[in-house]
Amino acid sequence: MNQILFGEVFNLSKHPSKSTLEKKRLDYEVEVFPLLKGIQNAYWKEEKNRIKLMAHETQHSPPLRVGVMFSGGPAPGGLNVLWGIYEGLKEIHSESKLIGFFDGAGGFLDDRFIEIGEDEISDIMNQGGFTLLGTGRTKIETEIQMQKALEIVKKNRLQGLVFIGGDDTNTNAYMLSKFFGKENARCSVVGIPKTIDGDLKGNGLEASFGFDTATKTYSSMIGNLCKDALSCKKYWFFVKLMGRAASHVTLECALKTKPNLAFISEEVRKKKIPFTKIVDMCAKVVIERAKKGKNYGVVLIPEGLIEACSDLKEMIDECNVLKRGGKSYEELSDDTRKLFFSLPQNIQKQLSGDLDPHGNMGLSHVSTDQLLAQMVEERVKDIEEVSFKVVPIFYGYDGRCGLPSNFDATYCYNLGLIASLLVRDRRTGYMAAVANLHLPIAEWSAIALPISSMIQEEDRHGKVKSVIAKALVDLKGNPFKELSKYRDRWMLDDFYESPGPIQYDDNGKDGFEKTMTLELEQKKRSFF
Amino acid sequence: MNQILFGEVFNLSKHPSKSTLEKKRLDYEVEVFPLLKGIQNAYWKEEKNRIKLMAHETQHSPPLRVGVMFSGGPAPGGLNVLWGIYEGLKEIHSESKLIGFFDGAGGFLDDRFIEIGEDEISDIMNQGGFTLLGTGRTKIETEIQMQKALEIVKKNRLQGLVFIGGDDTNTNAYMLSKFFGKENARCSVVGIPKTIDGDLKGNGLEASFGFDTATKTYSSMIGNLCKDALSCKKYWFFVKLMGRAASHVTLECALKTKPNLAFISEEVRKKKIPFTKIVDMCAKVVIERAKKGKNYGVVLIPEGLIEACSDLKEMIDECNVLKRGGKSYEELSDDTRKLFFSLPQNIQKQLSGDLDPHGNMGLSHVSTDQLLAQMVEERVKDIEEVSFKVVPIFYGYDGRCGLPSNFDATYCYNLGLIASLLVRDRRTGYMAAVANLHLPIAEWSAIALPISSMIQEEDRHGKVKSVIAKALVDLKGNPFKELSKYRDRWMLDDFYESPGPIQYDDNGKDGFEKTMTLELEQKKRSFF
């Protein structure tokens, strides 16, 4: 078994082989909404705080050269954005070129790229992951980086640069568009809204791509756990889900699977619920269920829950100040010290680990689910009826690269088409978007949003910074109201729902993400 | 948020609500193989070491009363066994009754049951989980338990008792059939082979149910991780999978997803590979890949890996002896002590935890994946090219209750039909089975295997016990050969495959489990 490592290494194919389903998905025909079917004839009409694509007489355009890159964590559908841009550019002029930069802005600044042609496109249609190009976390922020970006743009004669990324990437795209304007570089900068966290929306943006597929993937697994809880009647599944500031993923998965408990960080922050209260609440549900003979359950926990708790947050802030000053934990204020030393030892250790690059405690190293589980255990262990066998689980990375759902596949392809038109029409500093996502595709509108309209100033560690504020769960919005309405009855009785894995042949609206459906219903109602 | 707990509690439905896909699956028509279409006409023919169902003239039977229960961990398809038994009994005589006992043998011995009727059946067809009845781990082993079982059988006038479970359950079913024979109780005891671990097969049994759906579910998630590794190029996913003695699940998932490394406990045991060697091998792959610029990868680890390593096994055995004698770790032999204290502290702690009920070290509490990850990290941390960001992941509970694949749905329904016929024909001590699973359903044969033919004597802690030996991965078999043939090239280059989620409309043979296809190909070849 050892010689294998040093034996001959084969390199038979550039891309990994495709599974049966992946091959089948290559043939999935994404719908294009009517206006985008003849994009030669489309032009942009200015509306309040956005521009909207309209039909007009045929426009002629010279061939375009456009660069594109991914940024940050992957989200299902990203490859269809490339496909959409490519098709758009080819329809605008058959000699247009799409340049894909490798590994995010890092590869862009190093001028590492591939010219994307038919071969590449035919391999990536409706596929998962950010393969082909890869992604990266490098940001284009400094004057030097922007100068370098300009150089690359000039060297490659690019009329457009498309950034597929989240809030930070879109913010930086806007900054770069301003810089290019100042330097008289005729290169449009366009952003594409990506995040599985669902926290990039609002100001006319109805959804970011990836959220639909990711939450369906997690919900499929959570639904299986619900069935397992109900079959074995002896496990408590504590499921941690992605979402630091915002709990959209947890909310969506909760609406889809109806667990016994689901915490929403926004509510915890708003109501200043201390962590001890959350432990209390969990423990009460565990005890009440045990009294009904139910020593099992499912709890959904957003990874940002710890930070949302006022008492833990204060403790962490105090710890950060102490640590930056090189002081010991014994110097914490009374309340905080009490809390700190009430935590399980392994968690104390995790909390006192290294600061992250932003100077914060390594909170990402603290297992929220395990901390909660341990503290609940402590609380219930001496109660006779209770048998508390907890299984901590984390779903995150495994939902970012699934085969995109029909919604994400279609949405992304159309976003790509829109991006190509923005470049053709020399619109810069815009984010491609679609309006009326809740209606049939025939009624979608291609729009573009000035990124500037989303940006606000935020104080980050004493420095004022321009950022796109993260869209948090609206506690007055329909999705959260739906959870509030039903969660009481989900606690003690079992209303678990198991959505099962994504079925790609199923075009039924019914499988559509609940958050968006509820949000848009609300929006619709508020119109009348 | 707090009053919710003590507010009014609704109890609107006995069963959790069904998702769209679950409802759709209710309409899936399982195929019945030809002989089972007119089961009135079927009779059992004795063959070498099995009995086989044959067509014959119409048989008349009085109505039957049959009891059924689940045992052990859930596996997808279990509810279709109930459906199959029910349909079989009704076809034998419309007045037959199926009695479902709650929560496994525990509920059976307490005489807690439900009479399963049309309402129940129409709710469970092709669904996941062991809901409706629940399951349990109680075993019927002692004379007193067997007496109690006889009482329940008599009280409920049962002509048959069907146990849906794994190796232990089937062993106990056989013992009970012998006991019933001795007591002249005319109640057939029938076993149904269930386990997602895939280690209940051989002696004419081609497969146990649940393995197909479970490994497809895990492989779907692992495939997503492979894409994530390839997109972000910065994570090492260490994926732990179920399978203590046998590594069938890991082998199947490896064949489906082509990870960079996959360990097979049987190989490790056979070649006496010490744990330190496994750490070496991982570290080498991590380093070699880093030199190629690849600081990412996917490793599959069966949960039994630790126990399979000769050095760790010796250490654990020594520790167990010491602990039973109340002695300290300082008294370990030199080699063992060295190994013990070379392990990370948290692992030392886990290993020195309480003994489990069988008097063994709490090995299930040791996170195999995390132990390996930590030791590899130790080995590579000072090497310049290497950036080793490891994400430990465990898939297990989330694959046991998925909606059964078409294969498991069909297989299980037919197993149920066969069980009903065994009871009708007063066959006892048999396991229901199907031959020719690799052929189209039209060519399947209904067979039944005398459980006695699978049972052997094993030494367990000095006591001789009758058990069905677990079927281990055959190192000379086709599935393992397939892995051995390709794994060299999967190490440094990326051949990841991403099967995607189970598509229920897809009846293609291509999605069939690889282990069985390869095993049966081999079997077929060996015939000629």
Side-chain angles (χ1 to χ4, degrees), chain A residues 4 10 16-17 19-20 103 130 224 228 231 233 395 398 400 488 493 496-498 502-504 510, chain B residues 4-5 10 16-17 19-20 103 130 224 228 231 233 395 398 400 488 493 496-498 502-504 510:
Chain A
I4 39 185
F10 298 81
S17 55
S19 67
T20 311
D103 305 326
F130 279 2
N224 287 354
D228 204 87
S231 299
K233 298 176 186 151
Y395 296 125
D398 31 21
R400 311 194 306 178
D488 300 27
D493 286 313
Y496 302 140
E497 197 164 312
S498 184
I502 298 177
Q503 300 299 294
Y504 295 94
D510 202 273
Chain B
I4 40 185
L5 187 57
F10 298 80
S17 55
S19 66
T20 311
D103 305 326
F130 279 3
N224 286 354
D228 203 87
S231 298
K233 298 176 187 152
Y395 295 124
D398 32 20
R400 312 194 305 177
D488 302 27
D493 286 312
Y496 303 140
E497 196 164 311
S498 185
I502 298 177
Q503 300 299 294
Y504 295 93
D510 202 90

Side-chain angles (χ1 to χ4, degrees), chain A residues 21 223 253 291 408 443:
Chain A
L21 183 58
C253 292
K291 284 183 185 162
D408 275 328
E443 292 170 56

Side-chain angles (χ1 to χ4, degrees), chain A residues 214-495:
Chain A
T215 53
K216 279 176 176 158
T217 305
Y218 303 139
S219 298
S220 163
M221 299 301 270
I222 296 165
N224 287 354
L225 292 176
C226 290
K227 290 259 158 171
D228 204 87
L230 207 54
S231 299
C232 300
K233 298 176 186 151
K234 65 173 185 180
Y235 298 114
W236 273 93
F237 295 108
F238 276 46
V239 183
K240 186 172 73 169
L241 295 165
M242 280 186 165
R244 185 120 293 165
S247 303
H248 299 287
V249 171
T250 301
L251 178 56
E252 176 70 23
C253 292
L255 292 175
K256 280 198 166 91
T257 63
K258 308 178 182 168
N260 302 106
L261 280 168
F263 294 100
I264 303 298
S265 299
E266 286 85 342
E267 182 183 28
V268 170
R269 264 196 302 269
K270 175 80 188 306
K271 299 188 180 165
K272 295 196 170 32
I273 302 175
F275 190 63
T276 46
K277 257 271 153 90
I278 287 178
V279 176
D280 284 346
M281 201 185 308
C282 270
K284 272 180 195 160
V285 173
V286 167
I287 295 164
E288 289 298 312
R289 285 178 65 85
K291 284 183 185 162
K292 297 181 107 202
K294 295 180 175 184
N295 276 307
Y296 61 88
V298 177
V299 183
L300 304 190
I301 304 158
E303 61 176 342
L305 184 64
I306 288 189
E307 288 151 276
C309 294
S310 50
D311 52 345
L312 279 177
K313 199 179 173 313
E314 271 169 38
M315 187 194 78
I316 288 165
D317 287 348
E318 265 196 57
C319 288
N320 280 337
V321 170
L322 277 182
K323 268 166 99 177
R324 287 205 203 93
K327 292 183 182 166
S328 116
Y329 289 96
E330 296 298 335
E331 294 177 53
L332 289 169
S333 70
D334 278 0
D335 280 0
T336 306
R337 196 173 59 234
K338 209 170 134 191
L339 177 62
F340 185 86
F341 288 104
S342 78
L343 297 174
Q345 281 209 339
N346 55 338
I347 302 289
Q348 286 181 28
K349 228 173 158 177
Q350 281 183 299
L351 278 170
S352 50
D354 291 333
L355 298 179
D356 74 14
H358 305 289
N360 299 314
M361 266 177 133
L363 254 176
S364 58
H365 299 296
V366 177
S367 333
T368 314
D369 49 339
Q370 290 183 25
L371 171 59
L372 188 56
Q374 282 188 40
M375 299 203 51
V376 172
E377 188 158 27
E378 200 58 37
R379 208 69 62 92
V380 302
K381 70 178 180 196
D382 295 326
I383 298 169
E384 203 187 340
E385 298 96 329
V386 178
S387 155
F388 185 62
K389 276 194 193 170
V390 67
V391 181
I393 288 177
F394 173 47
Y395 296 125
Y397 300 97
D398 31 21
R400 311 194 306 178
C401 287
L403 282 161
S405 64
N406 292 342
F407 171 76
D408 275 328
T410 306
Y411 181 37
C412 286
Y413 178 82
N414 282 289
L415 285 174
L417 283 182
I418 295 168
S420 71
L421 276 168
L422 287 165
V423 173
R424 180 195 70 177
D425 297 339
R426 295 188 178 165
R427 299 286 181 165
T428 190
Y430 282 88
M431 193 188 285
V434 170
N436 300 326
L437 285 171
H438 62 304
L439 298 178
I441 295 173
E443 292 170 56
W444 285 9
S445 290
I447 58 171
L449 307 165
I451 299 173
S452 60
S453 71
M454 303 182 175
I455 286 180
Q456 57 186 54
E457 315 273 273
E458 251 183 38
D459 183 344
R460 287 203 181 168
H461 310 298
K463 267 193 181 171
V464 175
K465 225 188 144 180
S466 300
V467 295
I468 298 178
K470 283 193 192 295
L472 302 178
V473 168
D474 177 5
L475 300 180
K476 290 185 180 133
N478 268 356
F480 181 75
K481 273 191 197 157
E482 183 91 354
L483 179 71
S484 315
K485 188 170 157 192
Y486 292 108
R487 61 181 171 185
D488 300 27
R489 63 182 80 167
W490 297 348
M491 280 189 180
L492 301 188
D493 286 313
D494 304 327
F495 286 87

Side-chain angles (χ1 to χ4, degrees), chain B residues 7 22 31 56 119 139 187 210 227 248 266 300 306 315 354 361 376 393 398 402 414 438 441 456 470 503-504 515:
Chain B
E22 284 179 319
E31 275 187 78
H56 200 40
D119 275 4
K139 290 174 181 177
C187 176
K227 290 258 158 171
H248 299 286
E266 287 85 340
L300 303 190
I306 287 189
M315 185 194 78
D354 291 335
M361 264 178 134
V376 172
I393 288 177
D398 32 20
N414 282 288
H438 61 305
I441 294 173
Q456 58 185 54
K470 284 193 192 295
Q503 300 299 294
Y504 295 93
T515 304

Side-chain angles (χ1 to χ4, degrees), chain B residues 287-525:
Chain B
I287 295 163
E288 288 300 311
R289 285 178 65 85
K291 284 184 185 161
K292 298 181 104 199
K294 295 180 177 187
N295 277 307
Y296 62 87
V298 177
V299 183
L300 303 190
I301 304 159
E303 61 176 344
L305 184 65
I306 287 189
E307 289 152 274
C309 294
S310 50
D311 51 346
L312 279 178
K313 199 180 172 315
E314 272 168 37
M315 185 194 78
I316 288 165
D317 288 348
E318 265 195 59
C319 289
N320 280 337
V321 170
L322 278 184
K323 268 167 102 175
R324 287 204 203 95
K327 293 184 180 166
S328 114
Y329 289 97
E330 294 299 336
E331 294 177 53
L332 290 169
S333 70
D334 278 1
D335 279 0
T336 307
R337 197 174 57 237
K338 209 170 135 191
L339 178 60
F340 185 86
F341 289 104
S342 78
L343 298 175
Q345 281 209 337
N346 54 337
I347 302 289
Q348 287 182 27
K349 229 172 158 178
Q350 282 183 299
L351 278 170
S352 49
D354 291 335
L355 298 179
D356 73 14
H358 304 289
N360 299 314
M361 264 178 134
L363 252 176
S364 57
H365 299 296
V366 177
S367 333
T368 314
D369 49 340
Q370 290 181 24
L371 172 60
L372 188 56
Q374 281 187 39
M375 299 203 48
V376 172
E377 187 158 27
E378 202 55 38
R379 208 69 63 92
V380 302
K381 69 179 181 195
D382 296 326
I383 298 168
E384 202 188 342
E385 298 97 328
V386 178
S387 155
F388 185 62
K389 276 194 194 171
V390 67
V391 181
I393 288 177
F394 173 46
Y395 295 124
Y397 301 96
D398 32 20
R400 312 194 305 177
C401 288
L403 282 161
S405 65
N406 291 341
F407 171 76
D408 275 327
T410 306
Y411 182 38
C412 285
Y413 179 82
N414 282 288
L415 286 174
L417 283 182
I418 295 167
S420 71
L421 276 168
L422 288 165
V423 174
R424 180 195 71 177
D425 297 339
R426 295 188 175 163
R427 299 286 181 166
T428 191
Y430 281 89
M431 193 188 286
V434 170
N436 300 327
L437 284 171
H438 61 305
L439 298 178
I441 294 173
E443 291 171 59
W444 285 10
S445 290
I447 58 170
L449 308 164
I451 300 173
S452 59
S453 71
M454 302 182 177
I455 287 180
Q456 58 185 54
E457 314 273 275
E458 250 183 36
D459 184 344
R460 287 205 181 165
H461 311 296
K463 266 192 180 173
V464 175
K465 223 187 144 180
S466 300
V467 294
I468 298 178
K470 284 193 192 295
L472 301 178
V473 168
D474 177 5
L475 300 180
K476 290 184 180 135
N478 268 356
F480 181 75
K481 274 191 196 155
E482 183 91 355
L483 179 71
S484 316
K485 187 170 158 194
Y486 292 108
R487 61 181 171 187
D488 302 27
R489 64 183 79 165
W490 297 348
M491 280 189 181
L492 302 187
D493 286 312
D494 304 327
F495 287 87
Y496 303 140
E497 196 164 311
S498 185
I502 298 177
Q503 300 299 294
Y504 295 93
D505 284 343
D506 186 1
N507 280 297
K509 258 302 197 198
D510 202 90
F512 200 58
E513 72 172 79
K514 296 202 192 262
T515 304
M516 203 195 296
T517 311
L518 290 164
E519 272 173 3
L520 294 174
E521 266 174 21
Q522 183 176 18
K523 189 177 138 190
K524 218 166 122 193
R525 269 205 298 273

